[in-house]
Amino acid sequence: MNHWVHLCIDMQRIFAEDTPWHVPWMSRVSGEIIELSERYPERTIFTRFITPERANDMPGMWKAYYQKWHEMTRAELATELLDIVPGLAHLVPPARIFDKLTYSPWTSGHLHQQLHAEGVDTVVITGGETDVCVLAAAIGGIELGYKVIVLKDAVCSGADETHDAAIELLSGRFSAQVDISKTADFIAQLRS
């Protein structure tokens, strides 16, 4: 498998630290994410979920979303919390950062253009949250024709039930386009 990238979703301080969006078990999957990222930093893209300056800067229901979560807008939030967690940030470069304003990294079209130009046909997904941004990244990748590999021991959520449901959805309904694997198995497959 030569034409793959590791798409690491939103491993940011805003989710790792004590904020209203804290994902308690992000730390449990960090080891696997660090393992893959350190082995293949040149193939790793860290997405960052970037909040708007103010709720009124966003369209439609995103405006209402940030009115609810106003303390997470850049006008009120310490902006360094949007950074990649320290355990991964040192890998940039050669790892890259891709900023997004929505759950999906595909919405703007820029990521797809970049990967298409590089000949990428497979995205390996890690990060958080399984039932929100990871799911959006996986579905978007499917829609664009990528083979999607989700590393189930390297994705996390704040809710076990919806994490499990998202993994079941991806492995069941999308089994022709998505592989669910463990990080060690994926790395072993690359070596063989």
Side-chain angles (χ1 to χ4, degrees):
M1 183 180 354
N2 292 324
H3 304 291
W4 64 276
V5 296
H6 169 210
L7 198 56
C8 182
I9 308 296
D10 304 350
M11 289 295 288
Q12 295 167 259
R13 291 179 56 195
I14 195 171
F15 303 113
E17 297 181 19
D18 187 19
T19 73
W21 288 354
H22 176 66
V23 179
W25 51 287
M26 183 180 271
S27 61
R28 285 191 277 176
V29 301
S30 292
E32 286 78 11
I33 294 171
I34 290 169
E35 172 78 13
L36 182 61
S37 301
E38 286 183 343
R39 284 180 182 268
Y40 303 98
E42 72 286 351
R43 291 183 181 265
T44 298
I45 300 172
F46 297 114
T47 68
R48 294 190 313 168
F49 187 74
I50 302 298
T51 63
E53 186 69 26
R54 290 172 186 74
N56 288 342
D57 295 342
M58 295 298 283
M61 291 306 296
W62 282 109
K63 180 177 179 178
Y65 179 85
Y66 283 109
Q67 287 170 339
K68 175 182 177 181
W69 296 106
H70 63 89
E71 68 270 35
M72 305 309 278
T73 62
R74 291 194 321 268
E76 298 184 37
L77 182 73
T79 55
E80 62 270 12
L81 290 175
L82 297 173
D83 293 341
I84 301 300
V85 295
L88 296 169
H90 71 281
L91 298 172
V92 178
R96 298 176 273 176
I97 292 178
F98 183 82
D99 291 341
K100 60 191 182 74
L101 301 175
T102 61
Y103 300 139
S104 174
W106 308 108
T107 303
S108 71
H110 298 310
L111 181 61
H112 177 57
Q113 290 171 352
Q114 183 178 357
L115 297 185
H116 182 71
E118 295 171 11
V120 171
D121 60 14
T122 302
V123 292
V124 179
I125 300 178
T126 65
E129 288 189 70
T130 314
D131 46 347
V132 185
C133 295
V134 166
L135 182 61
I139 298 291
I142 291 166
E143 292 280 74
L144 292 168
Y146 293 98
K147 177 178 181 178
V148 175
I149 301 171
V150 176
L151 301 182
K152 66 181 176 181
D153 58 347
V155 292
C156 62
S157 177
D160 291 353
E161 185 176 310
T162 50
H163 163 84
D164 293 345
I167 294 294
E168 185 177 325
L169 173 71
L170 290 170
S171 65
R173 294 290 300 222
F174 298 101
S175 62
Q177 297 150 309
V178 177
D179 287 342
I180 305 295
S181 182
K182 288 189 172 184
T183 305
D185 294 339
F186 175 71
I187 291 171
Q189 177 187 355
L190 292 174
R191 290 188 197 156
S192 60

